[in-house]
DNA sequence: CGGTGGAAAGCTAACTTTCCACCGGTGCCTTAGT
């Protein structure tokens, strides 16, 4: 069957979007594939379509539970019943039932953590896997070292399930990150399909203010002025909440804050309200965004600077998916880089902490580590992330082969390298805000690309007609239908 | 680093100034013989 027929029969599309056909053909040729497509261009089709032509199961490693649930829902709506998500939303009888009958499914979504469990992996080993997909593959590089170490184990897992044909998908990866992803997955012979990260309809602007307090005033002005809907990104949950309240008290009723500290249920609710146009503005942390498919976001404001250019691009890329003119504004105050620097300090253990721990191990033996966890953590003041990183390193340390001292030094070097890389990335963001070059050109260079054409309203360095983003008229219409939140939530959470 | 909130100090009673400690994104997973 021709792939166009499959496209129509299963997805009801007549034509492919940019890049889809190349990526699908590469997979069907049996090539491991590393694909980069700009945000919002239909990445899931790149593995769903081949699924209908390949023998065996498609395993999709996905970073977020909500993303998995969403994809499963969408596939079910489309009429595909052989789809399942294996994650902690499942009750244990359901989980056992599903694991015992994996052969009944064609598309299996799973988190990297779940994939790392032996009893789950044993079941997967018995399948004939047609395609192994890593969705949002930049997470391997971005989260894999410290925040979610299971991401670093995907290469070993791939080998355990018999080196299946593999597709890694992402929207933003520098050439370094692409290399990192490929080597981490232990892919030896692969094909790259990299499409431009550029989104010409998003214009970029940096506003330098004198004082931190000016930001509040400026955000209120901008929300008042700009055509919505929009997203405002913060690096602090508290400030996101406070600013949402401030905007509300200024008459913008349809504003909500969104961050990782909220209950799962409120998060889904707020996200869905935003998608359905019942909210104008979201004051969010970096928790908000992955898997948000809203076509008409008109502006993205950065109240704080992101920790790396990749994150910036991901975040502004949530604007203008419909192709219409949209604007990204970053507010900068000298000294703003201190907050991200502080955040990475909380992520990585300090030299003193590492020394202390190895001394402790010298005295008590490393086998005591797991049972004394609580004591050690409170004595040295390790954060969750720091501890996981340390623990993961030490349990994998072969003390028959390596001395404790050697282990200590290697670990210190590892941490130093991580620290240097993270600091460098923050410096790159800062440089970008200070640079007098074209904003777009500078970002494209970072991704080894060149600006190919002149763009109207490119960036503040090239010149912007800012009035274009003004709201022309305020529409205050109530939604014309009633959405049943309760039913929706129970469907998503309990299924 | 920079802001914040609470306590102490200053100096004469009800309020201001100074000081100090603290905080600051991201998410999975926690039960078993076939």
């Amino acid at each position: 069957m021709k792939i166009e027929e499959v496209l129509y029969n299963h997805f009801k599309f007549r034509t492919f979007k940019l890049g889809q056909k190349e990526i699908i053909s590469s997979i069907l040729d049996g090539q491991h594939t590393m694909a980069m497509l700009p945000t919002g261009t239909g990445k899931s089709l790149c593995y769903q379509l081949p699924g209908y032509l390949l023998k065996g199961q498609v395993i999709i490693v996905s970073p977020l539970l909500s993303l998995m649930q969403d994809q499963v829902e969408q596939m079910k709506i489309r009429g595909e019943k052989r789809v399942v998500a294996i994650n902690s939303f499942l009750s244990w009888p359901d989980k056992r039932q599903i694991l015992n009958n994996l052969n009944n499914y064609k598309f299996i979504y799973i988190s990297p953590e779940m994939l790392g469990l032996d009893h789950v992996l044993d079941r997967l080993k018995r399948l004939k896997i047609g395609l192994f997909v890593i969705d949002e593959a930049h997470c391997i590089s971005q989260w894999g070292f410290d925040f979610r170490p299971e991401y670093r184990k995907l290469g070993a897992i791939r080998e355990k399930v018999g080196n299946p044909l593999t597709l890694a998908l992402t929207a933003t990866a520098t050439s370094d990150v692409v290399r990192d992803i490929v080597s981490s997955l232990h892919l030896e012979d692969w094909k790259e399909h990299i499409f431009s990260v550029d989104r010409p309809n998003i214009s970029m602007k940096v506003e330098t203010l004198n004082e931190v307090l000016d930001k509040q005033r400026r955000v209120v002005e901008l929300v008042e002025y700009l055509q919505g809907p929009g997203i405002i990104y913060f690096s602090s949950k508290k400030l996101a909440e406070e600013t949402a309240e401030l905007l509300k008290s200024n008459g913008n009723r349809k504003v909500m804050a969104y961050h990782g500290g909220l209950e799962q249920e409120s998060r889904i609710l707020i996200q869905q309200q935003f998608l359905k146009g019942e909210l104008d503005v979201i004051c969010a942390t970096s928790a908000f965004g992955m898997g948000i498919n809203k076509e008409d976001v008109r502006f993205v404001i950065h109240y704080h600077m992101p920790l790396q250019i990749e994150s910036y691009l991901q975040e502004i890329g949530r604007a203008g998916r419909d192709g219409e003119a949209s604007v990204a504004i970053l507010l900068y105050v000298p000294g703003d880089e201190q907050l991200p620097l502080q955040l990475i300090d909380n992520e990585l253990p300090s030299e003193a902490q590492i020394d202390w721990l190895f001394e402790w191990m010298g005295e008590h033996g490393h086998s005591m580590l797991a049972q004394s966890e609580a004591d050690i953590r409170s004595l040295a003041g390790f954060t969750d992330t720091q501890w996981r990183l340390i623990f993961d390193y030490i349990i994998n340390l072969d003390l028959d082969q390596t001395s404790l001292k050697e282990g200590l030094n290697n670990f210190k070097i590892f941490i130093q390298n991580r620290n240097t890389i993270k600091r460098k990335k923050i410096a790159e963001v800062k440089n970008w805000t200070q640079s007098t070059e074209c904003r777009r050109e500078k970002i494209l260079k970072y991704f080894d690309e060149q600006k190919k054409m002149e763009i109207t309203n490119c960036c503040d360095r090239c010149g912007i007609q800012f009035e274009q983003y003004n709201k022309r008229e305020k529409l205050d219409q109530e939604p014309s239908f009633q959405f049943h939140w309760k039913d929706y939530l129970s469907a998503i959470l309990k299924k």
Side-chain angles (χ1 to χ4, degrees):
Chain A
M1 207 192 298
K2 283 186 67 181
I3 60 174
E4 277 81 5
E5 286 173 47
V6 183
L7 181 68
Y8 188 71
N9 290 345
H10 289 279
F11 303 91
K12 297 286 172 270
F13 294 129
R14 292 281 185 199
T15 52
F16 287 102
K17 288 191 190 173
L18 173 81
Q20 288 177 330
K21 195 172 176 178
E22 290 88 334
I23 293 166
I24 291 167
S25 307
S26 159
I27 295 163
L28 294 175
D29 284 346
Q31 288 277 352
H32 296 312
T33 303
M34 166 78 230
M36 187 164 112
L37 277 178
T39 42
T41 45
K43 283 195 284 294
S44 51
L45 190 99
C46 296
Y47 57 82
Q48 289 175 3
L49 194 151
Y52 291 107
L53 293 166
L54 293 166
K55 280 187 187 143
Q57 276 78 17
V58 180
I59 309 284
I60 305 112
V61 182
S62 174
L64 301 180
L65 300 180
S66 59
L67 212 61
M68 282 186 231
Q69 300 298 102
D70 223 50
Q71 304 267 27
V72 170
E73 285 295 303
Q74 280 176 24
M75 287 186 85
K76 281 187 177 163
I77 289 168
R78 221 189 55 222
E80 179 54 71
K81 293 194 176 61
R82 298 167 302 160
V83 54
V84 72
I86 304 174
N87 57 40
S88 58
F89 280 174
L90 293 174
S91 67
W92 119 248
D94 284 352
K95 189 175 155 195
R96 191 175 60 174
Q97 170 71 21
I98 289 166
L99 285 175
N100 283 338
N101 297 285
L102 280 179
N103 264 312
N104 295 344
Y105 300 98
K106 180 76 190 176
F107 299 96
I108 300 166
Y109 286 86
I110 191 163
S111 65
E113 286 81 4
M114 198 55 104
L115 199 53
L117 300 177
D118 286 339
H119 70 277
V120 175
L121 197 59
D122 284 344
R123 298 311 177 99
L124 289 171
K125 278 184 196 161
R126 286 177 227 172
L127 297 175
K128 173 160 184 1
I129 297 171
L131 184 62
F132 188 77
V133 183
I134 295 92
D135 199 10
E136 310 286 357
H138 60 278
C139 295
I140 293 178
S141 196
Q142 203 167 309
W143 279 352
F145 281 106
D146 25 54
F147 188 52
R148 289 177 75 177
E150 306 292 337
Y151 260 108
R152 283 273 141 191
K153 297 173 188 160
L154 289 178
I157 286 168
R158 246 198 90 245
E159 280 169 359
K160 283 184 190 160
V161 295
N163 280 310
L165 182 62
T166 298
L167 168 67
L169 279 170
T170 182
T172 41
T174 58
S175 44
D176 284 351
V177 171
V178 167
R179 269 198 296 278
D180 190 23
I181 291 170
V182 167
S183 77
S184 170
L185 289 173
H186 307 174
L187 299 182
E188 290 192 346
D189 185 23
W190 80 96
K191 232 178 160 173
E192 233 176 62
H193 289 276
I194 308 283
F195 293 84
S196 175
V197 294
D198 194 17
R199 302 280 307 283
N201 61 317
I202 303 172
S203 126
M204 299 177 214
K205 189 170 192 277
V206 176
E207 292 188 7
T208 303
L209 307 171
N210 291 327
E211 282 184 64
V212 176
L213 289 173
D214 293 342
K215 286 192 182 179
Q216 294 271 320
R217 178 190 51 78
R218 188 56 185 149
V219 160
V220 172
E221 271 173 22
L222 285 171
V223 169
E224 186 70 23
Y225 184 83
L226 294 170
Q227 172 70 43
I231 305 170
I232 310 173
Y233 276 106
F234 298 82
S235 296
S236 149
K237 295 183 242 185
K238 204 172 151 198
L239 259 170
E241 297 253 1
E242 283 173 9
T243 311
E245 287 308 311
L246 179 71
L247 289 169
K248 275 183 203 166
S249 68
N250 269 299
N252 301 283
R253 282 169 297 117
K254 289 147 72 173
V255 179
M256 287 297 270
Y258 182 103
H259 54 73
L262 301 176
E263 297 287 324
Q264 185 77 9
E265 231 170 272
S266 350
R267 288 176 64 164
I268 295 172
L269 180 67
I270 293 165
Q271 189 175 313
Q272 291 301 322
Q273 285 179 325
F274 185 64
L275 288 178
K276 295 199 175 294
E278 292 164 21
L279 292 173
D280 294 327
V281 177
I282 296 277
C283 294
T285 61
S286 56
F288 186 75
M290 247 195 271
I292 304 282
N293 268 314
K294 187 171 169 62
E295 294 272 289
D296 62 343
V297 175
R298 292 276 73 87
F299 68 84
V300 172
I301 297 172
H302 278 84
Y303 192 98
H304 293 127
M305 60 183 242
L307 277 77
Q308 45 187 25
I309 298 282
E310 289 95 316
S311 314
Y312 182 71
L313 207 65
Q314 286 262 355
E315 286 162 4
I316 69 168
R318 279 151 204 155
R321 299 216 170 158
D322 52 9
E324 300 289 318
S326 309
V327 63
I329 301 166
L330 186 143
L331 303 180
Y332 179 79
V333 170
D336 270 0
E337 58 280 3
Q338 291 309 322
L339 176 52
L341 285 172
Q342 194 55 50
L343 290 173
I344 61 169
D345 277 350
N346 296 340
E347 235 171 336
L348 301 170
S350 68
E351 284 232 344
Q353 282 176 316
I354 301 170
D355 282 335
W356 180 88
L357 184 72
F358 275 77
E359 214 168 283
W360 189 96
M361 281 167 60
E363 269 174 48
H364 300 83
H366 67 286
S367 55
M368 291 294 288
L369 211 59
Q371 44 183 301
S372 311
E373 177 181 335
D375 288 346
I376 295 174
R377 286 191 52 179
S378 69
L379 280 169
F382 290 121
T383 64
D384 283 357
T385 312
Q386 289 168 342
W387 177 251
R388 203 181 18 246
L389 182 66
I390 286 171
F391 194 72
D392 198 65
Y393 177 81
I394 290 175
I395 56 167
N396 288 312
L397 197 62
D398 187 355
L399 284 172
D400 296 330
Q401 298 293 319
T402 323
S403 73
L404 202 57
K405 196 171 173 214
E406 228 180 311
L408 171 71
N409 284 332
N410 291 340
F411 189 54
K412 274 190 181 172
I413 291 168
F414 170 73
I415 294 293
Q416 272 167 12
N417 287 341
R418 294 295 305 151
N419 215 314
T420 311
I421 292 169
K422 282 169 192 253
R423 282 171 183 276
K424 193 174 151 223
K425 285 184 174 285
I426 292 170
E428 280 159 350
V429 180
K430 192 191 164 181
N431 279 340
W432 178 80
T433 67
Q434 306 296 297
S435 164
T436 52
E437 276 178 73
C438 162
R439 308 271 183 212
R440 188 176 310 269
E441 206 161 349
K442 198 156 164 79
I443 287 187
L444 289 177
K445 261 189 222 160
Y446 183 79
F447 289 95
D448 289 329
E449 276 190 57
Q450 281 178 346
K451 194 166 143 185
K452 289 175 201 77
M453 50 178 174
E454 275 314 304
I455 292 167
T456 42
N457 286 307
C458 174
C459 65
D460 53 341
R461 295 301 186 217
C462 300
I464 303 181
Q465 293 168 290
F466 200 59
E467 315 78 58
Q468 190 187 344
Y469 307 103
N470 193 353
K471 58 178 80 156
R472 284 159 199 104
E473 50 184 353
K474 283 186 185 173
L475 296 173
D476 226 346
Q477 287 174 341
E478 290 302 316
S480 56
F481 64 95
Q482 272 294 310
F483 192 73
H484 298 287
W485 291 114
K486 259 197 171 159
D487 299 347
Y488 182 82
L489 288 176
S490 64
I492 278 205
L493 292 168
K494 311 271 151 55
K495 218 169 241 173

